[in-house]
Amino acid sequence: METLKKNPSVRRKSKLARTFQKVCSLRTTSTKVSSNNGIGICMLKSHNPNFDDEDDDDGDSVFDLKSTSSSRSGELKTRERRRAVFEAVVAKIFASTTSIKAAYAELQMAQRPYDNAAIQAADTAVVEELRALSELKRSFLRKELNISPQVAIMLAEIQEQQSLMRTYEITIKKLESESAEKQSRIDSVKTSLEEVSAVNKSIEKKLTASGSVSPLDNVVFSNLNLSSFVQILGFTLRSVRSFVKLMVKEMESASWDLDAAASAAIRNASTVFARPSHRCFAFESFVCCKMLESFESPDFSLPNEKPSRERFFNLRSVDPVQYLTRNPGSSFARFVLHKYLSVVHAKMECSFFGNLNQRKLVNSGGFPDSGFFATFCEMAKRIWLLHCLAFCISENVTVFQIKKGCRFSQVYMESVKSGDESLFSSDDNADIRVGFTVVPGFKIGDNVIQSQVYLSPVTGFPPPGTS
């Protein structure tokens, strides 16, 4: 049996058919795109079913990136715009608040003294600002704001600064008004004080002339104690200070150098005075030292004299000048003449009065008829009676002074000026010491009466001690 063989022509024909079928298939799946030049372009679609989708997805991704970038830029601008608007709104709120404060300050200022026109203007300003704030709130909530942020912020800052200036001006006017009112009160109080002082001096003169205010009249010898001596000592020191004031007044009239005179009075040029008015303590120290010299002696440096109750009673209620005129040879007269020549130096008297007539009269046993001498006699009388009283309490009387440079001790000392210890507290290197003794201390029996001292910041002084 012969084997059947395929015809080669048939095989070629079937191959040609398959090729033709593929070409037809390509033509049926092609797309013709016309161009501007009339040439048709055949774009073949892929047989891959996912090819078209992949192309579409890539195109959409590019578009999405471009749209996302533009949307983000728009959102950023919107946010910046919104933030600028918020800042402008806040600035307008603060500016309006400051304007309300200024208007309220004007309203308060117009209350006293009462100014109806100013009150009405301030009230209108407050109402206008509140209305502006209300309108701003309404526009903000309804999102109807139509403002330029930069311009609005600038205008708000100008408004706020102007309101602050108004507030400062009102505050200045208020302070000036209060200052003027306080100054008026001060002047009124000064006038009242001068009137009261004049009335008090008049009453004091009348009572002193009648002898009804002197503590010397209250001394009872049957019940003498240290408190009686302390009371009379204070009464005596008032007369000492009155004489010192008169003496300083005469020095100023004679154009004395008070600093040099004060240093000479206490024999210490290095003493530091906290205030110029404290120089009077130096002169008081000088007068007390001279007047209380020999105080611890029963005869007070006058021979054949002893303190007694009779001597105290004879002098306590009389005018000293009148007593001297009636009793020129008395022990008190000799005491006054001796102390006057000791306290009032010849150069001092010549400088004060231009001559030595009073001194000549005193040396001859007479008594000048002058206010200066009368003030001195009143001081001498009180010291004389203080001496009598001290020896009536105890026979052991001692006068002591504090040495310069001693540390302050509350047992034996008291400061003549309250708070002197704090006057130099700012100087860390200074040590508060005794500058000089103003009023000596007393020891009557076993009782000690403090010395009055002036404190000064000094260093390098010897250890504390008394003399």
Side-chain angles (χ1 to χ4, degrees), residues 340 349 353 355-363 366 368-370 372-373:
Y340 180 84
E349 183 177 324
F353 310 112
N355 54 60
L356 298 175
N357 293 339
Q358 293 194 47
R359 194 173 193 84
K360 292 177 181 178
L361 185 59
V362 170
N363 281 325
D369 185 14
S370 66
F372 185 81
F373 185 76

Side-chain angles (χ1 to χ4, degrees), residues 229-434:
F229 180 84
V230 173
Q231 185 180 13
I232 302 304
L233 175 62
F235 183 64
T236 302
L237 292 179
R238 286 202 296 271
S239 66
V240 172
R241 294 185 180 111
S242 296
F243 176 75
V244 168
K245 287 181 180 179
L246 181 59
M247 187 170 65
V248 172
K249 184 179 180 180
E250 293 292 343
M251 289 179 180
E252 292 175 345
S253 299
S255 301
W256 278 39
D257 185 349
L258 295 182
D259 290 325
S263 299
I266 57 177
R267 298 178 182 178
N268 182 14
S270 62
T271 299
V272 178
F273 292 101
R275 299 186 183 93
S277 60
H278 289 182
R279 293 175 298 197
C280 64
F281 293 125
F283 302 118
E284 185 177 339
S285 173
F286 171 78
V287 172
C288 286
C289 181
K290 293 294 184 180
M291 295 299 295
L292 295 174
E293 188 177 359
S294 303
F295 188 90
E296 63 269 14
S297 175
D299 59 7
F300 218 155
S301 71
L302 298 175
N304 303 322
E305 285 293 334
K306 290 184 179 181
S308 63
R309 298 182 181 182
E310 290 76 18
R311 194 172 73 178
F312 185 90
F313 288 127
N314 291 336
L315 189 60
R316 70 174 181 177
S317 300
V318 299
D319 181 82
V321 177
Q322 295 178 2
Y323 182 86
L324 292 175
T325 303
R326 293 194 302 265
N327 303 281
S330 63
S331 57
F332 175 65
R334 288 186 284 124
F335 172 76
V336 171
L337 297 178
H338 171 71
K339 292 297 182 181
Y340 180 84
L341 297 176
S342 176
V343 173
V344 184
H345 193 271
K347 292 183 179 179
M348 181 189 295
E349 183 177 324
C350 184
S351 176
F352 289 173
F353 310 112
N355 54 60
L356 298 175
N357 293 339
Q358 293 194 47
R359 194 173 193 84
K360 292 177 181 178
L361 185 59
V362 170
N363 281 325
S364 62
F367 306 103
D369 185 14
S370 66
F372 185 81
F373 185 76
T375 304
F376 178 86
C377 288
E378 180 62 30
M379 175 184 64
K381 168 194 166 182
R382 298 186 186 184
I383 291 179
W384 178 262
L385 296 179
L386 183 69
H387 177 264
C388 294
L389 188 63
F391 279 91
C392 289
I393 295 175
S394 175
E395 295 181 356
N396 299 321
V397 178
T398 305
V399 178
F400 64 89
Q401 291 191 0
I402 308 300
K403 288 183 180 180
K404 179 182 69 174
C406 293
R407 293 183 181 276
F408 182 78
S409 172
Q410 293 182 348
V411 177
Y412 296 100
M413 313 171 207
E414 64 175 340
S415 175
V416 290
K417 198 70 174 178
S418 177
D420 270 354
E421 297 90 337
S422 62
L423 291 176
F424 310 98
S425 58
S426 59
D427 189 356
D428 297 331
N429 298 323
D431 184 14
I432 302 300
R433 300 290 186 94
V434 174

Side-chain angles (χ1 to χ4, degrees), residues 172-184:
I172 292 173
K173 289 181 181 179
K174 184 177 180 180
L175 292 176
E176 289 177 349
S177 176
E178 291 178 355
S179 177
E181 184 177 356
K182 289 182 179 180
Q183 186 62 42
S184 177

